[in-house]
Amino acid sequence: LFTERMLTFIKEVRKDTGNATLPIVMVQISRVCDPSASDECWTSIREQQRILPEKVKNILTVPAIDLDLDDLIHISGEDQHVLGRRMASAMAVLKGIQKKKELPPIKLKSIKVGTDKLCGNPTVTVTFANVAGKLEASDRPAGFSLRDSRIFKTEVFNDHVVLHIT
């Protein structure tokens, strides 16, 4: 129901404002660390938020999954500033008013399954579009998960991550 209701909401907001192309920046739901919450439901909504800009013009989704939390679901006060900059940058892209060459928010470009040439184990290469500079992790990369396999090694490259799987 999320996508259907969001499409109705966007249509009604644009109707109410009298602007059929009103630019909208949406924040993608971050991590949810509540053990009582269904991860499948949150993942489904996150995915619907990710692809919504493909269905509706003049909308961008800003990721927040990498930001620190202050509790089980809320983005930390410090990272609210990071999120605000991301949202401002996304709106600048939508409005075409970038002071410098702003990229739209980072987004998933492709996922490819392969085989590690050394050990024969499966690998998953996740490539992203709109990477400003290069992907980086301040510590061991985290945030990736698979339903029926375990990730034993994560390698970060300029615009992609390679997950080595058991």
Side-chain angles (χ1 to χ4, degrees):
L1 293 175
F2 176 84
T3 298
E4 178 185 321
R5 289 179 178 171
M6 194 64 180
L7 292 172
T8 300
F9 173 73
I10 292 165
K11 180 181 172 185
E12 293 300 319
V13 167
R14 288 178 169 171
K15 179 178 158 188
D16 289 349
T17 61
N19 184 346
T21 60
L22 181 72
I24 297 173
V25 174
M26 174 174 55
V27 176
Q28 189 178 36
I29 292 175
S30 185
R31 293 173 291 129
V32 177
C33 298
D34 183 350
S36 67
S38 167
D39 194 46
E40 278 187 43
C41 291
W42 292 116
T43 300
S44 172
I45 291 172
R46 244 183 251 108
E47 178 63 7
Q48 291 175 69
Q49 290 174 316
R50 183 185 73 78
I51 63 175
L52 194 64
E54 298 170 12
K55 298 176 185 262
V56 182
K57 291 184 180 187
N58 225 19
I59 291 181
L60 286 175
T61 301
V62 175
I65 201 159
D66 61 315
L67 301 177
D68 285 336
L69 302 177
D70 271 345
D71 58 24
L72 299 177
I73 61 171
H74 295 102
I75 296 168
S76 72
E78 186 175 327
D79 275 357
Q80 289 285 346
H81 295 280
V82 173
L83 183 58
R85 286 190 296 276
R86 288 180 185 176
M87 294 175 72
S89 178
M91 185 56 76
V93 168
L94 286 174
K95 299 284 289 174
I97 55 171
Q98 306 96 306
K99 292 179 183 172
K100 57 183 180 190
K101 179 62 178 149
E102 299 275 356
L103 292 171
I106 190 171
K107 69 177 189 175
L108 178 66
K109 183 176 181 181
S110 66
I111 299 173
K112 294 182 182 168
V113 178
T115 304
D116 186 306
K117 292 181 173 97
L118 293 175
C119 65
N121 284 350
T123 60
V124 176
T125 302
V126 183
T127 305
F128 297 91
N130 306 327
V131 176
K134 63 180 185 174
L135 296 173
E136 294 184 65
S138 59
D139 198 6
R140 183 167 36 174
F144 295 95
S145 64
L146 298 168
R147 182 172 288 156
D148 297 323
S149 299
R150 290 211 171 130
I151 301 166
F152 67 87
K153 181 179 176 183
T154 304
E155 295 180 289
V156 179
F157 297 93
N158 290 335
D159 67 346
H160 65 282
V161 175
V162 178
L163 309 173
H164 296 265
I165 301 167
T166 58

